[in-house]
Amino acid sequence: MMKTIPFVSQCSNEEEQDWIKTLAEKLPGEVIVPFAALTDQQKEEAEIAIVANPKPEEVAMLPNLKWVHSVWAGVERLLADLGDRPFDIVRLVDPELGHTMAEAVLAWTLYLHRDMPSYAKFQKQREWVELPYIKAADKTVGIIGLGALGRASAKILGDFGFQVAGWSRSQKDIDGVQCYSGPDGLYALAERSDILVCLLPLTSETTGLLDGRVFASGAKGKGFINFGRGAVVNNVDLLTALDKQYISHAVLDVFEQEPLPRESEFWGHENVTVLPHISAPTDIDTASTIVAENIQAYRRSGVLPPVVNKKRGY
């Protein structure tokens, strides 16, 4: 008998239908049902749910869940809303996401490296100015967060010719990357970096981690890219660092509140590029394949895929 797996999300109807259609193709032995269409019996019987930013009260109506599989890599909201529930949480680990993120990191690193913000200002002022060229090999890019996304980004930057350094909570050993860890290591990384790239998840330890001391470490004029989570950055300190030119330009794709409120200072700041959380969108096809493989393996063996450490936050 085929089993029902609820799909619990706050996606648009069209996106939800795309997810359910693709998941159903990858899981022919299961019945994927949107939460709104579940019967009371199906809610009682569900032991697995697939979720995308679900409403906590809807997940709470599935009393016998053993685990939920997120279709997103970030799980901070799930942990905040559902971390006290007895079921396990599995996050998406998709190599395609690493490729997409690395592509975005390279693109926006080059944007800062070749000083595109200055050329945009020159155009507005109708000024014909040629800036000196600096080789990639003469720039150090510091990656804050050396998980799967950080490693993929470090590789593409290194292949392109940049000097690459990185920081993580625990010490890492990555070929071609000077690795730092711990509080002192974070400041040391910031001090030597020409461009800082944040790829950190949001946890109790990373909230507000990037503050004025980090931004002021080293020479003035470094670039900053945040593709991690908005709350990792102290916004007041970042704005101060921009005004004092410790940070020459910030590319921000993630924010504490999304969509970014219209009254935010970031919108109108001449040294900030605002992006609508588009650096590494989830690929429905590859994500559904991974979710399906994890569920099928569980059905065969009863063994869960690697689960989120609720205390650590990832």
Side-chain angles (χ1 to χ4, degrees):
M1 179 187 298
M2 292 194 295
K3 297 184 178 181
T4 298
I5 298 179
F7 184 82
V8 191
S9 80
Q10 296 188 65
C11 299
S12 66
N13 288 336
E14 182 179 356
E15 185 178 5
E16 185 173 79
Q17 289 172 9
D18 286 344
W19 273 110
I20 291 173
K21 177 177 181 293
T22 307
L23 285 164
E25 291 171 354
K26 309 284 185 180
L27 285 163
E30 312 281 348
V31 180
I32 314 298
V33 180
F35 179 84
L38 290 170
T39 65
D40 288 341
Q41 182 176 348
Q42 287 173 326
K43 292 176 183 176
E44 286 285 334
E45 293 176 348
E47 64 177 36
I48 303 171
I50 302 170
V51 302
N53 186 27
K55 293 180 180 179
E57 61 269 24
E58 291 183 346
V59 179
M61 295 172 69
L62 306 173
N64 295 309
L65 287 177
K66 294 183 179 178
W67 60 289
V68 301
H69 202 316
S70 175
V71 298
W72 292 343
V75 291
E76 68 276 357
R77 185 171 296 177
L78 276 177
L79 289 172
D81 293 340
L82 302 168
D84 60 346
R85 301 282 177 174
F87 54 74
D88 287 305
I89 297 172
V90 175
R91 69 184 186 93
L92 180 69
V93 180
D94 186 353
E96 181 62 24
L97 189 67
H99 173 79
T100 306
M101 178 62 82
E103 178 185 81
V105 168
L106 177 62
W108 289 99
T109 296
L110 289 171
Y111 174 81
L112 296 178
H113 166 58
R114 296 300 298 264
D115 206 354
M116 294 299 120
S118 290
Y119 285 113
K121 291 176 187 176
F122 296 150
Q123 179 178 344
K124 287 181 180 179
Q125 297 162 4
R126 303 187 180 219
E127 296 181 0
W128 188 275
V129 179
E130 181 179 353
L131 297 174
Y133 171 69
I134 301 174
K135 293 184 293 185
D138 293 333
K139 292 277 188 75
T140 297
V141 182
I143 299 176
I144 305 172
L146 291 173
L149 302 183
R151 287 172 179 262
S153 298
K155 184 179 187 309
I156 199 169
L157 289 168
D159 289 346
F160 200 82
F162 288 101
Q163 297 180 55
V164 183
W167 180 90
S168 55
R169 177 173 168 270
S170 56
Q171 186 65 30
K172 298 288 194 300
D173 184 9
I174 303 173
D175 287 344
V177 180
Q178 177 66 53
C179 296
Y180 297 87
S181 62
D184 291 340
L186 180 58
Y187 304 131
L189 175 76
E191 184 171 350
R192 66 168 292 190
S193 296
D194 299 292
I195 299 170
L196 285 172
V197 180
C198 175
L199 296 174
L200 288 172
L202 182 62
T203 70
S204 59
E205 293 182 348
T206 64
T207 300
L209 180 67
L210 303 188
D211 58 11
R213 182 177 173 185
V214 174
F215 295 132
S217 295
K220 285 188 173 183
K222 65 174 64 68
F224 176 62
I225 298 170
N226 188 11
F227 289 166
R229 285 294 182 264
V232 171
V233 175
N234 182 312
N235 288 335
V236 173
D237 287 0
L238 175 57
L239 287 165
T240 299
L242 285 161
D243 292 340
K244 291 184 176 181
Q245 298 183 337
Y246 287 113
I247 301 296
S248 61
H249 196 91
V251 177
L252 307 177
D253 184 52
V254 288
F255 304 90
E256 290 186 63
Q257 183 179 341
E258 295 180 2
L260 182 66
R262 293 180 63 86
E263 63 272 16
S264 171
E265 291 183 62
F266 289 131
W267 282 114
H269 200 294
E270 65 175 354
N271 294 321
V272 173
T273 297
V274 171
L275 301 174
H277 204 143
I278 47 79
S279 55
T282 298
D283 183 286
I284 290 180
D285 184 68
T286 60
S288 295
T289 297
I290 290 167
V291 171
E293 289 173 350
N294 285 338
I295 291 173
Q296 289 165 340
Y298 171 77
R299 294 296 196 205
R300 290 192 301 268
S301 67
V303 177
L304 272 68
V307 302
V308 171
N309 183 315
K310 293 182 179 180
K311 289 184 178 180
R312 196 167 57 192
Y314 56 91

